[in-house]
């Protein structure tokens, strides 16, 4: 036989048993629910609400409360010690017999074993209620949400490797030595010269070329790859311009 547990440990089982008692009407169950959840002290297991307090909270008349208390007392759910109304309110307390029944139900619940999925059980998320450093709770993962989560274009761009920008300077055309060095470097890479790349510009009345540095890069350096990419990315524009000029001459 189970030992009697404190009422605060078996309150849920007590209410469950009460709700299944066919001899207790709904009015009495409502009153009992209010008393044990709002007024019963967790240590003394006693409550002292007046009829008026219960009536105002449940929306019932005082006579309905009196009938409910009598039914709960006769049904063996509440032990009632009536006061004189002058500084001594009526005292309510769950009976030891009802608490013992609730303790037995609690023991059965504690001994229940959940079946694994392979044995016909359900998949239950791991129970976790640890408080995190931010003050929230650790929630079990929502697998359905993870599956249906669509990729975010902005997040994808943020995760992409950042591009290294190539600094561009304006090389004046009158700097013939530097222009020749660049053209020689481009020739080694089997690329057109600066004039063909359509990089001409004008700054403060001086014409020049937009190039990735005043001097060509050294062979095998990191800058060499950047400079090569700079010119290769502009080859399609040269091809398009040449095709347009050819079409124009043929039309003429």
């Amino acid at each position: 036989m189970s030992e009697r547990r404190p009422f605060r440990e078996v309150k849920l089982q007590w209410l469950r048993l009460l709700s299944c008692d066919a001899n207790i009407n709904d009015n009495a169950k409502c009153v009992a629910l209010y008393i044990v959840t709002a007024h019963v002290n967790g240590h003394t297991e006693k409550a002292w609400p007046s009829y008026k307090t219960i009536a105002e909270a449940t929306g019932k008349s005082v006579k309905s409360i009196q009938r409910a208390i009598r039914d709960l007392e006769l049904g063996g759910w509440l032990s009632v010690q009536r006061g004189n109304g002058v500084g001594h309110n009526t005292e309510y307390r769950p009976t030891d017999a009802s608490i013992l029944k609730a303790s037995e139900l609690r023991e059965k619940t504690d001994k229940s074993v959940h079946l694994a999925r392979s044995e016909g059980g359900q998949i239950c998320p791991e129970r976790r209620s640890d408080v995190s450093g931010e003050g929230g709770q650790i929630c079990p993962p929502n697998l359905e949400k993870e599956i249906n989560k669509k990729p975010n274009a902005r997040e994808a761009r943020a995760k992409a490797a950042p591009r290294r920008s190539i600094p561009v300077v304006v090389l004046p055309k009158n700097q013939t030595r530097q222009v020749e060095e660049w053209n020689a470097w481009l020739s080694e890479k089997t690329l057109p010269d600066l004039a063909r790349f359509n990089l001409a510009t004008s700054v403060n009345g001086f014409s020049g070329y937009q190039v990735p540095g005043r001097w060509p890069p050294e062979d095998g350096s990191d800058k060499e790859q950047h400079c090569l990419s700079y010119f290769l990315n502009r080859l399609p524009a040269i091809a398009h311009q040449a095709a347009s000029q050819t079409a124009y001459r043929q039309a003429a």
Side-chain angles (χ1 to χ4, degrees), residues 111-138:
K111 289 182 178 181
S112 64
V113 178
H114 298 288
L115 293 178
R117 185 185 182 188
S118 59
E119 300 175 355
Q122 294 181 339
I123 300 177
C124 297
E126 181 182 357
R127 180 178 296 177
R128 298 186 295 176
S129 59
D130 298 333
V131 178
S132 67
E134 290 76 16
Q137 291 184 335
I138 302 175

Side-chain angles (χ1 to χ4, degrees), residues 122-252:
Q122 294 181 339
I123 300 177
C124 297
E126 181 182 357
R127 180 178 296 177
R128 298 186 295 176
S129 59
D130 298 333
V131 178
S132 67
E134 290 76 16
Q137 291 184 335
I138 302 175
C139 299
N142 189 330
L143 299 180
E144 182 178 356
K145 183 178 180 180
E146 293 295 330
I147 294 175
N148 296 331
K149 184 178 180 181
K150 297 181 179 179
N152 188 299
R154 181 179 298 177
E155 292 179 358
R157 288 195 299 269
K159 293 180 180 179
R163 296 182 178 179
R164 294 185 60 181
S165 59
I166 302 175
V168 177
V169 299
V170 177
L171 177 63
K173 291 183 178 181
N174 58 10
Q175 301 290 335
T176 55
R177 181 182 174 186
Q178 292 165 278
V179 172
E180 291 174 357
E181 290 283 347
W182 269 112
N183 286 332
W185 183 84
L186 291 170
S187 177
E188 291 177 0
K189 308 300 181 185
T190 65
L191 294 172
D193 57 21
L194 293 176
R196 293 280 305 281
F197 270 104
N198 193 26
L199 299 173
T201 186
S202 178
V203 178
N204 298 328
F206 295 94
S207 59
Y209 299 108
Q210 300 179 73
V211 292
R214 297 193 177 278
W215 297 94
E218 296 181 0
D219 294 340
S221 64
D222 293 340
K223 185 179 178 181
E224 182 183 25
Q225 295 298 324
H226 298 320
C227 293
L228 190 59
S229 299
Y230 177 82
F231 289 104
L232 290 176
N233 291 337
R234 284 157 177 77
L235 283 179
I238 296 177
H240 178 73
Q241 183 179 9
S244 299
Q245 291 176 352
T246 301
Y248 177 77
R249 288 195 297 269
Q250 291 176 352

Side-chain angles (χ1 to χ4, degrees), residues 75-134:
W77 292 100
L78 289 181
S79 175
V80 182
Q81 183 177 348
R82 290 171 175 79
N84 56 17
V86 183
H88 295 84
N89 292 339
T90 300
E91 177 185 287
Y92 308 98
R93 181 176 183 176
T95 62
D96 289 335
S98 64
I99 295 177
L100 183 59
K101 290 181 181 179
S103 300
E104 293 175 354
L105 180 60
R106 171 66 185 270
E107 184 176 352
K108 292 180 181 179
T109 304
D110 292 344
K111 289 182 178 181
S112 64
V113 178
H114 298 288
L115 293 178
R117 185 185 182 188
S118 59
E119 300 175 355
Q122 294 181 339
I123 300 177
C124 297
E126 181 182 357
R127 180 178 296 177
R128 298 186 295 176
S129 59
D130 298 333
V131 178
S132 67
E134 290 76 16

